[in-house]
Amino acid sequence: MAFTKDQEFLISLHGQPSPQKFDYVEGFVIVDDSLINSWRSSFLSPLNPIKLSSVNPDGGVLYCLEITKNYAESDAHTVDEDIEALSKKLKFIPNLVFKTDVPYVEFLDRVHTSELKLRSQGLWDVPHPWINLFVPKSKISDFDKVVFKRILGKNTSGPILIYPMNKHKSSVVTPDEEVFYVVGLLRSAASSGSANNDSINDDIDETQSVEYLSQQNDDIVKYCGEAGIMVKKYLPHFETQEEWMDHYGQKWDHFLKLKNKFDPRRVLATGQRIFTTNMNKKTKKY
């Protein structure tokens, strides 16, 4: 689809001279109106509220790109031209484009600004059943059709991030494809007396509960396994060593070799329970 093609094109520009690339690329998938005009969608203008129905009368989802261009005062006279030249190569809805110009430090600190707002409303210290997956490029369309458009429904309880990465730019365990997608479901569960629409509500919607969102995460992973989508979890929590071995795949033997060499007594990272204390121990029989 146009959204993924645009993102893949943008990351392919890495290494090009500054005028010929953007400096930051991130994608969002929005499936419910409550997230469009909230603090989570700073890339959309609060002065120009929109609804999903205005974009697609038949429903569906809204795919958004957030891109930035860094510049110094000496380049201020050409930065708009550079942005326009790059933007012409992308497919987007012109009347939904929103631009803002902020200091670089303010951009880096944008999440903290949102945190302060939520803390002031008592909505920060709530459960966050997040899940981050690496999805192979070849399967992102299948993932989109089932996860974004069916499993999640119309109430996501938080932002959905999606953007591609090059395998050789990452040191973590990733799918066996040169390009993969990072999909982050950054949901917030409602606690007693709060709701995700920033209002006090004693009647918590079941779809905002920790149990519901956690089960939804499990359903997504289960679907991927049944559909043959070889996703990898980022910072996973597994209960058994077999799950860790499956996670590392072909890298497991090398990983185990390094563990035996540099941490033979299993002192480091015991909380993740990747290795059992008696693994590979030799027994002398009398």
Side-chain angles (χ1 to χ4, degrees):
M1 55 184 175
F3 176 64
T4 53
K5 287 181 179 179
D6 280 351
Q7 290 197 96
E8 290 164 20
F9 164 70
L10 291 173
I11 69 167
S12 74
L13 300 178
H14 179 77
Q16 296 293 324
S18 182
Q20 300 176 27
K21 66 179 181 180
F22 285 108
D23 297 291
Y24 171 88
V25 178
E26 189 169 62
F28 295 80
V29 175
I30 298 178
V31 302
D32 61 275
D33 284 329
S34 64
L35 292 182
I36 293 183
N37 306 298
S38 70
W39 66 271
R40 300 178 181 92
S41 301
S42 58
F43 52 90
L44 290 171
S45 172
L47 302 178
N48 183 31
I50 62 173
K51 289 184 174 295
L52 283 176
S53 58
S54 67
V55 181
N56 183 358
D58 298 323
V61 301
L62 179 65
Y63 303 96
C64 306
L65 270 177
E66 183 174 18
I67 49 184
T68 71
K69 187 71 175 170
N70 301 335
Y71 69 96
E73 288 299 326
S74 58
D75 305 319
H77 64 291
T78 61
V79 66
D80 287 336
E81 295 178 6
D82 294 339
I83 292 174
E84 184 177 355
L86 285 167
S87 299
K88 286 181 178 179
K89 301 177 182 180
L90 307 176
K91 293 182 174 63
F92 54 87
I93 304 173
N95 65 331
L96 294 185
V97 174
F98 168 61
K99 300 178 182 179
T100 184
D101 197 340
V102 299
Y104 183 59
V105 173
E106 183 177 331
F107 168 72
L108 295 179
D109 202 40
R110 65 197 183 285
V111 175
H112 179 58
T113 301
S114 300
E115 175 191 343
L116 294 177
K117 178 181 178 181
L118 290 178
R119 283 190 182 279
S120 69
Q121 299 171 339
L123 296 172
W124 181 257
D125 294 318
V126 298
H128 295 88
W130 290 7
I131 185 171
N132 292 277
L133 301 174
F134 297 152
V135 183
K137 170 187 170 181
S138 63
K139 296 294 185 178
I140 194 62
S141 180
D142 296 334
F143 188 93
D144 167 64
K145 291 176 184 176
V146 175
V147 176
F148 296 152
K149 296 176 180 175
R150 280 172 42 192
I151 295 179
L152 291 181
K154 290 296 180 183
N155 188 350
T156 60
S157 299
I160 305 170
L161 309 184
I162 173 174
Y163 51 91
M165 291 184 66
N166 293 306
K167 185 180 181 70
H168 66 278
K169 297 294 181 182
S170 174
S171 60
V172 297
V173 177
T174 65
D176 294 326
E177 293 188 12
E178 180 55 35
V179 175
F180 63 93
Y181 276 79
V182 179
V183 178
L185 277 66
L186 311 183
R187 281 97 71 80
S188 299
S191 59
S192 179
S194 69
N196 279 349
N197 61 0
D198 294 356
S199 64
I200 301 301
N201 186 350
D202 292 329
D203 299 321
I204 299 176
D205 188 336
E206 179 187 2
T207 61
Q208 293 181 328
S209 69
V210 174
E211 294 76 16
Y212 181 90
L213 296 176
S214 297
Q215 182 60 55
Q216 208 172 53
N217 290 342
D218 292 341
D219 291 342
I220 292 171
V221 174
K222 180 181 179 181
Y223 156 71
C224 290
E226 293 175 345
I229 303 177
M230 306 303 290
V231 300
K232 295 294 184 181
K233 288 184 179 180
Y234 176 60
L235 299 178
H237 174 72
F238 293 130
E239 296 292 336
T240 67
Q241 192 171 93
E242 287 71 21
E243 290 176 302
W244 282 111
M245 293 173 67
D246 181 65
H247 175 71
Y248 279 94
Q250 296 180 350
K251 296 181 179 180
W252 173 258
D253 289 340
H254 179 64
F255 183 52
L256 177 59
K257 182 179 179 180
L258 293 177
K259 185 71 173 180
N260 289 334
K261 180 178 181 180
F262 296 107
D263 185 24
R265 296 187 180 183
R266 305 294 190 264
V267 175
L268 304 176
T270 56
Q272 292 174 298
R273 291 181 288 183
I274 299 178
F275 300 95
T276 58
T277 55
N278 61 352
M279 180 185 242
N280 287 344
K281 278 188 176 181
K282 295 182 179 180
T283 301
K284 183 177 288 187
K285 192 174 182 179
Y286 296 93

